[in-house]
Amino acid sequence: MSLRIAAALAVTIGAGIVMSSPAQARPELVGMRGAEYSPGTIVVKTGERRLYLILDSGRAMRYPVGVGRAGKQWSGTTRIDGKYLNPAWSPPREVKRDIPNMPDVIPGGSPKNPMGVAAMTLAGGEYAIHGTNRPGSVGGFVSYGCIRMLNADITDLYQRVSVGTTVVVTR
């Protein structure tokens, strides 16, 4: 391969990388071994920082997520008990204790609202699966226990599931 062709190829590949945006992630169809989860179940694997929507006994949609930081992680089975677009957010007591000057309510659509474009609340606590206005935080141990997704991904998942969907969180 000539130096000129190699340089042109490098510029083309580099332009493709620069023009792609991590905030435009899409769910990935992956194989899923075992039939331990019913189709329609959401499985969050905290250690992997991935959320899986089980499609059938061999396939799932996989999304990157941000999860609870050290001391804020949890595991168990719950269900979605509410779905909200552009939700307002009231910080839980623990967040207010750690950040006392935080407002009591942050309106939906505000760039300071940590819920992003959509949220699905989980039964039995103050947790949700939600979007974020900080896409760089997805993939990390970053929250007080919520499952944080890119806005494009929460929009996709929101359309695929309903209130009552089972959610299993594992470590």
Side-chain angles (χ1 to χ4, degrees):
M1 176 185 310
S2 78
L3 187 56
R4 187 176 297 173
I5 293 171
L9 183 58
V11 168
T12 302
I13 291 170
I17 291 169
V18 169
M19 294 175 77
S20 65
S21 168
Q24 298 201 8
R26 290 184 276 298
E28 181 180 11
L29 182 62
V30 297
M32 192 83 167
R33 290 191 184 149
E36 59 188 287
Y37 302 110
S38 302
T41 301
I42 292 173
V43 178
V44 178
K45 294 189 176 187
T46 302
E48 290 181 19
R49 290 167 316 284
R50 297 282 187 262
L51 179 151
Y52 297 84
L53 173 61
I54 308 302
L55 301 177
D56 55 40
S57 62
R59 300 178 313 139
M61 298 304 292
R62 179 173 66 188
Y63 306 83
V65 294
V67 296
R69 57 182 110 161
K72 309 294 183 194
Q73 296 172 7
W74 59 279
S75 61
T77 301
T78 185
R79 63 180 173 74
I80 294 172
D81 71 356
K83 291 175 62 175
Y84 309 93
L85 293 173
N86 291 311
W89 181 67
S90 295
R93 281 188 302 266
E94 184 177 17
V95 175
K96 283 291 278 186
R97 185 191 70 227
D98 292 349
I99 311 167
N101 63 341
M102 181 166 289
D104 291 335
V105 176
I106 299 176
S110 167
K112 294 185 181 209
N113 184 319
M115 302 298 272
V117 299
M120 297 182 288
T121 55
L122 302 176
E126 296 183 319
Y127 302 123
I129 300 170
H130 63 81
T132 183
N133 54 19
R134 293 180 31 218
S137 68
V138 172
F141 297 95
V142 293
S143 75
Y144 276 77
C146 285
I147 309 304
R148 190 179 294 180
M149 300 180 76
L150 297 170
N151 282 329
D153 288 347
I154 189 66
T155 299
D156 180 79
L157 183 64
Y158 187 96
Q159 294 170 5
R160 294 177 186 264
V161 300
S162 59
V163 170
T165 295
T166 299
V167 177
V168 179
V169 178
T170 67
R171 291 191 185 205

